């Protein structure tokens, strides 16, 4: 064996030994603080023109928390409007968002009554303001703040689930503010979506021979009849079995993995994590009835580009109804992207395809002219 080759083997062996030593010096995290620090260090923005901010700003007369992250502040802004009502996306964005930040400056925002914004305010004082129109106004104000702070004429708005109602309203009312509106888990005819979700759960219960599911679902019939709000207790039974049969997260029995991942958020304090469920219940109590009676299929035209990302297996908010609306709505340009291995949590279920689709279909819409006129 040649001496040079032996030297190479020796060098390789040294690297392995050093790697093993480092592994011994870096034990696995033993608590939340240590785990969060690892995640924060891994995703730290280090580029010269990067943006990494986590702060509260004044929106709608109260303090509301935002995260702003991106490798280049000159990239277009993408505001994600989370679902629920009250189910935040900021604390899981560490998992699905990092690739986006190479092509967009991404803004996560905890809405009024949700997440860390809930924790930062007196719930009793905020409660009278938790109305659909106030939520739309907050979204308008949030978009306006970003346009001014970053010197942008337009931004992208991405609405998920409940956020797709707020985002679509901004697109309908202020198309000139947006490069495009992007909908994930797009809400359309919600009473019909609820009925279809119940039928999916019942069909799956029969296929599985699950007599308990059949009994509980049958007790709700006729479910979501007419346009009246579904009582919360009935909704919870429908969702329990819909989730069990993969209608929320494809191939899983609900969103437990996503919920658990929230506890690893670098943006969230221990108290914020503890209050996530309480905040969600608070928002649902104020806004859910309105959400379940919406029929957005009456919107026939948008004056900005439209992009929909729909999970093929989404029965939480019917993707088939989303497709039907997409086929009829008029827009300067529009595109529907199907995610064949997703239900309602597209960005978590197929994060790679989500990134590729944003880069391929959304990002070019901001390249017509460079509109940055300054930096925050």
């Amino acid at each position: 064996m040649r001496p040079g080759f032996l030297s190479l083997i020796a060098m390789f062996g040294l690297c392995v030994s050093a790697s093993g030593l480092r592994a011994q010096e870096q034990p696995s995290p033993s608590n939340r603080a240590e785990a969060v620090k690892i995640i924060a260090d891994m995703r730290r923005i280090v580029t010269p023109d990067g943006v990494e901010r986590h702060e509260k700003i004044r929106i709608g007369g109260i303090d509301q928390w935002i995260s702003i992250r991106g490798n280049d502040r000159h990239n277009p802004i993408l505001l994600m409007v989370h679902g629920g009502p009250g189910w935040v996306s900021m604390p899981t964005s560490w998992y699905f968002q990092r690739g986006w930040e190479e092509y967009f400056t991404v803004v996560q925002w905890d809405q009024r009554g949700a997440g860390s914004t809930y924790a930062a305010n007196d719930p009793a004082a905020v409660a009278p303001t938790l109305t659909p129109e106030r939520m739309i106004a907050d979204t308008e104000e949030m978009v306006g703040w970003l346009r001014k702070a970053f010197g942008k004429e337009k931004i992208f708005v991405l609405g998920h689930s409940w956020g797709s109602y707020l985002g679509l309203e901004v697109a309908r009312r202020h198309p000139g503010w947006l490069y495009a509106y992007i909908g994930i888990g797009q809400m359309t005819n919600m009473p019909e979506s609820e009925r279809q979700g119940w039928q999916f759960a019942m069909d799956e219960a029969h296929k599985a021979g699950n007599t308990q599911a059949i009994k509980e679902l049958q007790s709700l019939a006729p479910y979501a009849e007419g346009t009246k709000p579904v009582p919360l207790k009935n909704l919870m039974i429908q969702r329990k079995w819909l989730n069990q049969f993969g209608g929320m997260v494809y191939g899983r029995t609900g969103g437990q993995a996503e919920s658990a991942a929230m506890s690893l958020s670098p943006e969230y304090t221990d108290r914020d994590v503890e209050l996530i469920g309480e905040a969600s219940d608070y928002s649902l109590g104020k806004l859910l009835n309105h959400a379940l009676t919406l029929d957005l299929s009456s919107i026939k035209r948008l004056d900005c580009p439209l992009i929909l990302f729909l999970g093929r297996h989404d029965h939480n908010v019917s993707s088939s109804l989303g497709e039907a609306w997409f086929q009829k709505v008029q827009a300067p340009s529009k595109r529907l992207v199907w995610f064949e291995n997703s239900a309602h949590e597209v960005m978590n279920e197929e994060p790679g395809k989500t990134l590729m689709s944003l880069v391929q279909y959304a990002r070019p819409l901001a390249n017509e002219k460079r509109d940055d006129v300054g930096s925050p």
Side-chain angles (χ1 to χ4, degrees):
M1 189 175 291
R2 291 173 297 168
F5 187 64
L6 289 171
S7 298
L8 186 61
I9 292 175
M11 183 179 296
F12 182 73
L14 178 62
C15 290
V16 172
S17 299
S19 177
L21 180 60
R22 285 195 297 273
Q24 293 175 4
E25 292 172 349
Q26 298 291 333
S28 299
S30 58
N31 55 51
R32 177 178 182 267
E34 291 176 1
V36 163
K37 184 179 185 304
I38 291 171
I39 292 172
D41 287 346
M42 277 291 292
R43 67 172 195 155
R44 188 160 55 94
I45 302 292
V46 297
T47 49
D49 288 326
V51 184
E52 186 172 18
R53 296 164 57 178
H54 179 229
E55 61 196 272
K56 57 187 177 182
I57 62 173
R58 202 74 177 169
I59 295 289
I62 66 170
D63 290 337
Q64 304 202 29
W65 277 96
I66 58 172
S67 164
I68 308 175
R69 296 177 51 84
N71 283 13
D72 185 345
R73 67 182 63 243
H74 299 105
N75 279 335
I77 304 289
L78 188 155
L79 169 65
M80 184 167 183
V81 186
H82 68 70
W87 195 244
V88 282
S89 55
M90 188 189 299
T92 52
S93 62
W94 64 265
Y95 171 74
F96 66 78
Q97 181 184 290
R98 187 62 186 93
W100 303 11
E101 295 162 11
E102 298 178 32
Y103 303 93
F104 304 87
T105 298
V106 186
V107 181
Q108 292 289 344
W109 160 45
D110 283 4
Q111 298 164 26
R112 179 182 300 261
S116 49
T117 296
Y118 173 85
N121 293 278
D122 176 7
V126 172
T129 71
L130 212 62
T131 66
E133 277 302 322
R134 181 65 258 173
M135 301 300 285
I136 294 169
D138 280 0
T139 311
E140 292 172 321
E141 196 170 330
M142 185 74 249
V143 173
W145 184 88
L146 289 168
R147 292 170 66 226
K148 181 178 180 181
F150 282 83
K152 299 286 186 179
E153 180 184 343
K154 297 183 179 184
I155 72 168
F156 290 99
V157 167
L158 186 159
H160 176 233
S161 195
W162 157 259
S164 73
Y165 161 55
L166 302 179
L168 189 57
E169 281 297 317
V170 172
R172 186 175 66 83
R173 300 179 187 197
H174 308 284
W177 292 0
L178 307 185
Y179 289 121
Y181 166 68
I182 306 163
I184 298 180
Q186 181 63 50
M187 294 173 64
T188 52
N189 184 336
M190 289 308 295
E192 179 59 23
S193 178
E194 285 300 306
R195 289 188 284 270
Q196 290 189 11
W198 178 89
Q199 190 62 57
F200 161 79
M202 180 63 85
D203 290 345
E204 293 300 309
H206 280 290
K207 289 178 189 176
N210 190 322
T211 55
Q212 182 64 27
I214 294 169
K215 178 181 178 181
E216 290 188 18
L217 289 165
Q218 191 59 51
S219 73
L220 308 180
Y223 180 77
E225 189 175 31
T227 58
K228 294 181 180 179
V230 177
L232 184 59
K233 63 182 180 63
N234 291 5
L235 177 77
M236 291 299 103
I237 295 172
Q238 188 256 34
R239 285 297 194 276
K240 178 177 79 170
W241 294 112
L242 182 149
N243 292 353
Q244 178 69 28
F245 296 122
M248 177 184 177
V249 183
Y250 178 55
R252 294 176 181 261
T253 56
Q256 292 91 338
E258 291 76 13
S259 299
M262 289 182 169
S263 66
L264 296 177
S265 170
E267 285 90 358
Y268 269 37
T269 66
D270 290 348
R271 180 170 181 268
D272 291 341
V273 171
E274 290 172 3
L275 292 176
I276 288 174
E278 179 178 310
S280 178
D281 291 344
Y282 171 84
S283 291
L284 286 172
K286 300 292 183 182
L287 296 167
L288 185 63
N289 280 350
H290 179 76
L292 295 182
T293 57
L294 286 169
D295 185 359
L296 303 179
S297 62
S298 60
I299 298 175
K300 306 297 185 184
R301 177 180 177 81
L302 290 180
D303 292 321
C304 68
L306 168 67
I307 302 171
L308 291 190
F309 294 170
L310 298 180
R312 182 68 72 178
H313 307 278
D314 190 353
H315 299 281
N316 193 68
V317 174
S318 171
S319 57
S320 62
L321 291 176
E323 179 188 25
W325 173 73
F326 175 86
Q327 297 300 339
K328 293 179 180 179
V329 69
Q330 300 296 311
S333 68
K334 61 180 186 175
R335 182 174 292 272
L336 169 59
V337 184
W338 280 108
F339 288 73
E340 300 294 341
N341 297 305
S342 293
H344 193 57
E345 293 289 324
V346 164
M347 62 280 183
N348 285 307
E349 296 177 77
E350 295 184 71
K353 184 171 181 178
T354 302
L355 169 61
M356 291 179 63
S357 300
L358 285 170
V359 172
Q360 184 175 359
Y361 303 122
R363 186 62 176 81
L365 296 173
N367 286 340
E368 294 181 3
K369 74 181 185 70
R370 193 177 176 100
D371 72 337
D372 50 288
V373 295
S375 59

